[in-house]
DNA sequence: TTTAAATTGTTATAATATAACACCATGTAA
DNA sequence: TTACATGGTGTTATATTATAACAATTTAAA
């Protein structure tokens, strides 16, 4: 299926934190939360985040500079991501729609440029906030 | 059609600069370029950028923290944006595809959340870099 | 004209992210 | 086994991106 990545200590600590968090976490919020576990410097956090993004365990929400664990089993690498973002409560959900991902994976622009990756962010109001 | 926004002095200076630039510009690159015109502080740049984004004259490329002038006449407000980004040369182009924008504008997720805005970034290699 | 809204100028600071370097762990090839 | 490559770590310092707070001014309506 896919290569299993054994996470290193720092990567595991930071992944667990993000994975348990009900909302996306920002890098310095992560840093403050893991200081008790011995991770003291921003770089230690950013390095783990970079790796976790690379292997698809987490995704970065670009418009928010925040990180969310991937709960989409078909999404082992961060190559095709879509999120819905509530502009009031900031609830963020990863969208997994087969038709959407199929449409975007096959999309070709006028220049014939072939894409290897995309990131889509939808903004609106969630049920609660409407 | 749409409300014409008369740009203020700072907004006009900064818009002209971005509009003439062959590639997206970052906020501090803009700052350095306009210092000779009397714009001395980051806030003056960010305020103009915020306004220009709001009225759709420019867009922010979220994954690059850079700003690009809108050349899509049907795009008066930054509510439905799509870009192609070459990961080698960093050439960035605004995509204007009627079918894409129609598909995304009508997209509804499982939760029935209604979206008022989206931003899509495609990554790949441009013709030159392939 | 009066008033409200938007814009400006300014200083300071917050938040996000990377450079550079020394060291350590692990796997692999001679 | 040794040597080497790769990737991860810890650390200090610094770069980059963005906003807070406040006073003054300009603009556009009512
Ligand atoms: Zn995912
Ligand atoms: Zn909400
Ligand atoms: Zn546009
Ligand atoms: Zn290119």
């Amino acid at each position: 299926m896919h290569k299993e990545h054994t996470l290193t200590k720092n990567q595991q600590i930071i992944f667990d934190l993000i994975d348990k968090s009900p909302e996306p976490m920002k890098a310095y919020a992560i840093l403050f939360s893991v200081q008790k576990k011995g991770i003291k410097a921003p770089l230690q956090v950013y390095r783990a985040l970079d790796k976790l993004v690379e292997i698809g365990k987490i995704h970065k929400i670009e418009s928010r500079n925040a990180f969310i664990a991937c709960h989409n089993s078909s999404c082992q690498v961060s190559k095709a991501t879509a999120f819905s973002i509530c502009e009031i409560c900031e609830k963020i959900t990863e969208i997994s729609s087969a038709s959407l991902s199929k449409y975007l994976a096959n999309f070709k622009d006028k220049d014939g440029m072939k894409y290897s990756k995309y990131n889509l962010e939808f903004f609106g109001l969630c049920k609660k906030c409407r």
Side-chain angles (χ1 to χ4, degrees), chain A:
Chain A
M1 203 67 69
H2 63 272
K3 182 162 182 286
E4 281 298 340
H5 289 271
T6 310
L7 301 184
T8 65
K9 184 164 145 280
N10 287 0
Q11 289 162 11
Q12 189 70 58
I13 290 169
I14 288 173
F15 174 73
D16 286 344
L17 181 67
I18 297 171
D19 193 39
K20 278 187 221 109
S21 171
E23 68 250 350
M25 294 196 73
K26 307 195 129 211
Y28 278 72
I30 293 168
L31 176 58
F32 296 141
S33 291
V34 297
Q35 274 176 337
K36 44 182 166 283
K37 302 208 170 169
I39 296 175
K40 287 170 190 157
L43 249 198
Q44 296 173 283
V45 172
Y46 280 104
R47 287 197 282 225
L49 290 173
D50 285 351
K51 192 64 183 184
L52 291 167
V53 167
E54 186 193 324
I55 64 180
K57 300 279 289 182
I58 65 172
H59 303 303
K60 182 175 185 181
I61 309 298
E62 292 287 356
S63 66
R64 298 298 188 263
N65 298 317
F67 299 85
I68 190 175
C70 178
H71 292 302
N72 180 349
S73 59
S74 68
C75 181
Q76 287 305 321
V77 177
S78 303
K79 278 193 171 160
T81 49
F83 303 95
S84 83
I85 302 174
C86 174
E87 291 187 293
I88 302 278
C89 71
E90 290 291 323
K91 178 174 152 59
I92 300 184
T93 311
E94 184 168 3
I95 296 171
S96 75
S97 156
S99 73
L100 176 65
S101 54
K102 191 177 171 191
Y103 183 90
L104 292 176
N106 291 323
F107 180 78
K108 285 179 188 57
D109 76 354
K110 291 165 188 143
D111 299 339
M113 183 164 163
K114 175 68 175 139
Y115 303 118
S116 55
K117 199 169 114 182
Y118 67 77
N119 179 55
L120 171 59
E121 297 180 4
F122 280 109
F123 304 88
L125 301 184
C126 74
K127 259 181 187 164
K128 273 191 182 175
C129 295
R130 209 156 29 182

